[in-house]
Amino acid sequence: MISIKNLHKKFGDLEVLKGIDADVQKGQAIVVIGPSGSGKTTFLRCLNTLETPTSGSVTIDEQTADFSKPLSKKQIMAFRKQSAMVFQHYNLFPHMTALENVMEGPITVQKQDKKLARKKAEQLLTKVGLGEKINDYPFQLSGGQQQRVGIARALALEPKVMLFDEPTSALDPELVGEVLQVMKDLAAEGMTMVVVTHEMRFAKGVADEVLFMDEGRIIERGKPEDIFNHPTEERTKRFLSLIQKTDVI
Amino acid sequence: MKFPKNGLVKMYLNSIFSDPVRMERLVDIAQSSFLPLIEATLQFTLPLSIISFIFGLILAILTALARISTVKIFQIIARVYVSIIRGTPLLVQLFILFYGLPTLGITIDPFPAAVIGFSLNVGAYASEVIRAAILSIPKGQWEAADTIGMSYTQSLRRVILPQASRVSLPPLSNTFISLIKDTSLASLILVTEMFRVAQQIAATNYEFLLLYGQAALLYWVICFALSLVQGRLEHRFDRYVSR
Ligand SMILES: Nc1ncnc2c1ncn2[C@@H]1O[C@H](COP(=O)(O)OP(=O)(O)OP(=O)(O)O)[C@@H](O)[C@H]1O
Ligand SMILES: [Mg+2]
C-alpha cells in the first residue's frame, strides 16, 4: 500500500530525515515511536506532502510521487488525496459546526452533492460516537470529542491511508480512551494507518508493526512484542527504558 | 481666539428666546434646510462612503495578501502603496486627484475623484488591519485546509478570511466610521455632499452655528446607527467562540 524509498528532508542546512525506507501493507496499522525531535512529525507530513521532501519517493496505492524532481501543484494535490491527516491539536475549523467541519472537504474540494455529503458526514460522526453533537461548534466540545471530529473529517475524504500525529497527547488522560477506541475500530475495519504515538496500550494492542525512529532514520522495526520486549538496537533499548521509567508511553 | 465677554452667551441666548421673530426664523431655517441636508446625505455622503468602503476593502484584501505573499515584487508594491497613502494627508491626495491631474490631461469628475481618493485611503489603512488579522489565524488552520486538499484560494475563502473577518470587525468598523466623517472633505473638491450643502445654506443666511450644528448631528446619527449594526454583527460572529 505504501512504499517509501530513500526519503530525505532538509530544513535549510538541518537534515531532519536522512533516508527513510519503509513499506506498509494494505490494512496494516503501523506505530512510529522515537525521541522528541527525531523527525516523526516531519515524516508523517512528508507522506501527506504538507512538507515537500527534498528527495526520495513515496508510493501510495500505485500513485508515486518522485521528489527528486519538482512536482506541479496539480501533482501534489492528486498525491495528497491518497492520505488524510489527524493533528495533535485537532485543528478543527472553529467557525464551522462539527457537521460542517466534516462536510467541508467533500463539498468544497471534491465538489460532492451537498445532500449526499451531509448524509455521509452524519454517518461518520455517528460512527465516532458524536451523532448527538453534529451541530455543536468545536468550542462546545471536549478535547476527545474534538479529536473524534478530526478523525471523521479525515475519513470523509475517503483516503487510502490515515496518518495520525500524536492524536491523544494533547488530551486529558480520561479522554484518551475514547479516541483510541475509534482508532482501534478503524484498524479492525482494515484501514491502513500510520500512527505517531507514545500510547503503549495502542501500540501493543493494535499495531501490526512498530517503527523506532531516531535522528531522522528508522533504527529498528518489528512486531510490537519484539520491539518492546527484545529490542536489538542499543538506542531502542535506551529510549524504551527511558519512557518506561517516566511512564510517558 | 476671541471669547465672548461674561454675559454675552447669555445675551445671545436671551436674544433668541425673548425675540419671537428671531426664534421663528431659526426654526424656519432649521426646518427648510433639513430636507436638502438629508437629500445630500442620501445622494452623496452615504453612497460615497459605501462605494468607497467596498472598493477599499477589496483593495485592502489584495494588498494584505500581497504583503504576506512570498513574491518579493508584490510585497514591495504593497509596501510602497501603503506608505505613500499613510504618509500624506487625505486632503492633499484629494486635491492632487481633482485639481492636480488635469495638468496631465486627466480630468475626473468630483464624485469619481472622491471615490478613488477614499478607496485608496481605506485600502491602505484596512490592509494593515486585515494583514494582522490573517497573521493571527493559527498556522494549523492553513495546514488543516491543506490536508483536506484545499487550494490557496479555497483556504482563504472558506477557512482564513471568515475567521480573520471576525478579528478585524471592530477595527474595520472604526475605519468605516472615520470614512463617513472624512467624506466631508469631499466638499472641498466640489462634491455636493451633506457638509457642502450645509456650507451653501449657511452662506445665504449666516446662521453658521445652526447649519454646522445640524450637519454634526446628522453625522453623529449615522455613526451611532452604524455602531449599533457593528454590535449586532459582533454578536453574530461570536457564536462560535466561547464566552
Ligand atoms: N518547519 C521547520 N523548519 C525548521 N526546522 C524544523 C521544521 N519542522 C521541524 N523542524 C526540526 O526538525 C526536527 C524534527 O522535528 P519533528 O517535529 O519532525 O520531530 P518529532 O519527532 O515529531 O518530535 P516531537 O516528538 O517533539 O513531536 C526538529 O529538530 C525540528 O526543530
Ligand atoms: Mg511531533
Side-chain angles (χ1 to χ4, degrees):
Chain A
M1 182 56 108
I2 314 179
S3 170
I4 301 149
K5 295 213 168 65
N6 202 19
L7 197 66
H8 286 260
K9 173 66 188 175
K10 276 189 192 171
F11 291 108
D13 286 339
L14 180 71
E15 188 165 33
V16 176
L17 299 182
K18 301 171 181 164
I20 303 248
D21 290 278
D23 287 292
V24 180
Q25 303 306 315
K26 193 176 161 74
Q28 269 194 326
I30 303 289
V31 161
V32 181
I33 59 173
S36 182
S38 56
K40 306 179 297 292
T41 296
T42 308
F43 173 57
L44 271 197
R45 292 164 61 88
C46 282
L47 296 185
N48 193 230
T49 53
L50 277 179
E51 301 289 357
T52 311
T54 318
S55 66
S57 75
V58 178
T59 307
I60 299 182
D61 195 36
E62 266 142 48
Q63 266 228 44
T64 301
D66 183 355
F67 298 105
S68 45
K69 41 189 190 241
L71 296 177
S72 71
K73 263 202 183 123
K74 226 177 169 166
Q75 287 170 310
I76 289 186
M77 290 292 194
F79 182 75
R80 187 173 283 160
K81 273 195 211 139
Q82 304 286 83
S83 60
M85 183 91 145
V86 176
F87 298 91
Q88 181 175 6
H89 297 286
Y90 339 126
N91 296 357
L92 295 184
F93 304 130
H95 57 304
M96 298 182 190
T97 62
L99 189 71
E100 288 165 344
N101 263 280
V102 179
M103 286 164 63
E104 188 57 26
I107 288 180
T108 303
V109 180
Q110 300 176 350
K111 310 283 182 213
Q112 286 181 18
D113 175 63
K114 257 206 174 116
K115 266 203 191 120
L116 216 79
R118 190 191 162 91
K119 213 169 140 208
K120 205 174 74 181
E122 282 171 357
Q123 282 168 356
L124 281 170
L125 283 168
T126 309
K127 179 175 162 172
V128 298
L130 293 173
E132 311 279 289
K133 300 268 181 194
I134 59 173
N135 291 320
D136 282 17
Y137 284 96
F139 83 90
Q140 295 167 303
L141 301 172
S142 73
Q145 290 169 335
Q146 289 190 51
Q147 190 57 295
R148 286 185 279 151
V149 176
I151 293 174
R153 179 175 69 178
L155 286 173
L157 305 167
E158 300 187 335
K160 308 272 169 45
V161 174
M162 286 280 282
L163 308 170
F164 296 84
D165 188 10
E166 306 203 28
T168 58
S169 64
L171 295 176
D172 291 338
E174 74 272 18
L175 301 177
V176 168
E178 62 191 54
V179 172
L180 290 183
Q181 187 58 46
V182 168
M183 293 167 62
K184 203 171 160 180
D185 294 345
L186 268 183
E189 281 169 26
M191 175 58 82
T192 310
M193 303 162 55
V194 180
V195 185
V196 173
T197 184
H198 287 173
E199 283 295 334
M200 198 68 120
R201 277 182 288 164
F202 184 80
K204 283 183 175 159
V206 181
D208 296 294
E209 259 192 310
V210 173
L211 299 187
F212 174 67
M213 266 184 84
D214 193 16
E215 293 181 359
R217 291 201 173 81
I218 294 178
I219 305 297
E220 190 167 357
R221 71 179 287 176
K223 296 221 167 308
E225 52 274 23
D226 293 338
I227 294 277
F228 291 126
N229 300 333
H230 331 280
T232 53
E233 296 289 328
E234 201 47 49
R235 276 195 267 186
T236 320
K237 283 180 201 165
R238 226 181 310 140
F239 175 71
L240 286 174
S241 72
L242 219 66
I243 50 176
Q244 272 151 359
K245 236 183 269 159
T246 55
D247 204 26
V248 181
I249 268 201
Chain B
M1 219 183 281
K2 248 168 85 181
F3 289 105
K5 286 206 192 69
N6 207 9
L8 274 183
V9 175
K10 211 161 131 201
M11 262 172 65
Y12 176 76
L13 290 176
N14 262 341
S15 77
I16 295 174
F17 288 110
S18 62
D19 180 349
V21 180
R22 175 140 169 74
M23 185 78 183
E24 202 175 315
R25 174 181 141 86
L26 282 181
V27 172
D28 264 1
I29 292 176
Q31 275 179 350
S32 62
S33 58
F34 188 65
L35 205 63
L37 288 178
I38 292 280
E39 254 175 31
T41 304
L42 295 179
Q43 224 174 25
F44 290 105
T45 300
L46 288 182
L48 182 57
S49 306
I50 294 169
I51 296 172
S52 303
F53 193 64
I54 292 171
F55 283 150
L57 269 191
I58 295 170
L59 196 57
I61 293 175
L62 294 177
T63 307
L65 292 177
R67 277 293 302 271
I68 60 177
S69 94
T70 48
V71 185
K72 202 93 207 163
I73 186 73
F74 288 171
Q75 286 179 24
I76 294 173
I77 293 172
R79 270 170 181 277
V80 170
Y81 158 58
V82 172
S83 161
I84 289 176
I85 297 293
R86 293 216 301 183
T88 55
L90 174 54
L91 189 56
V92 174
Q93 295 162 15
L94 291 174
F95 271 43
I96 289 178
L97 280 169
F98 185 69
Y99 298 111
L101 287 186
T103 313
L104 301 177
I106 306 168
T107 312
I108 314 174
D109 282 343
F111 189 76
V115 167
I116 295 173
F118 289 122
S119 301
L120 286 173
N121 234 267
V122 170
Y125 282 98
S127 77
E128 294 290 285
V129 170
I130 292 173
R131 184 175 78 103
I134 291 176
L135 292 179
S136 78
I137 307 302
K139 212 169 131 248
Q141 291 292 309
W142 287 99
E143 293 184 346
D146 270 356
T147 192
I148 66 172
M150 285 188 177
S151 63
Y152 179 73
T153 33
Q154 284 173 336
S155 308
L156 270 180
R157 193 165 52 79
R158 300 287 306 169
V159 177
I160 304 301
L161 289 183
Q163 293 180 61
S165 59
R166 186 184 78 81
V167 182
S168 50
L169 181 66
L172 285 184
S173 302
N174 281 340
T175 308
F176 192 33
I177 286 175
S178 299
L179 171 65
I180 290 172
K181 293 179 293 181
D182 285 348
T183 56
S184 57
L185 290 176
S187 63
L188 294 166
I189 59 167
L190 312 186
V191 179
T192 45
E193 45 70 56
M194 186 244 287
F195 187 56
R196 186 171 176 82
V197 170
Q199 286 173 307
Q200 285 169 345
I201 298 174
T204 63
N205 55 29
Y206 303 104
E207 293 294 351
F208 298 104
L209 183 60
L210 177 67
L211 265 302
Y212 297 162
Q214 271 185 300
L217 183 72
L218 260 177
Y219 281 116
W220 176 79
V221 168
I222 298 170
C223 293
F224 181 72
L226 204 70
S227 67
L228 293 183
V229 174
Q230 176 190 352
R232 293 186 67 131
L233 274 179
E234 275 175 29
H235 187 71
R236 268 187 64 126
F237 269 124
D238 281 349
R239 75 192 182 283
Y240 66 80
V241 291
S242 52
R243 272 159 281 245

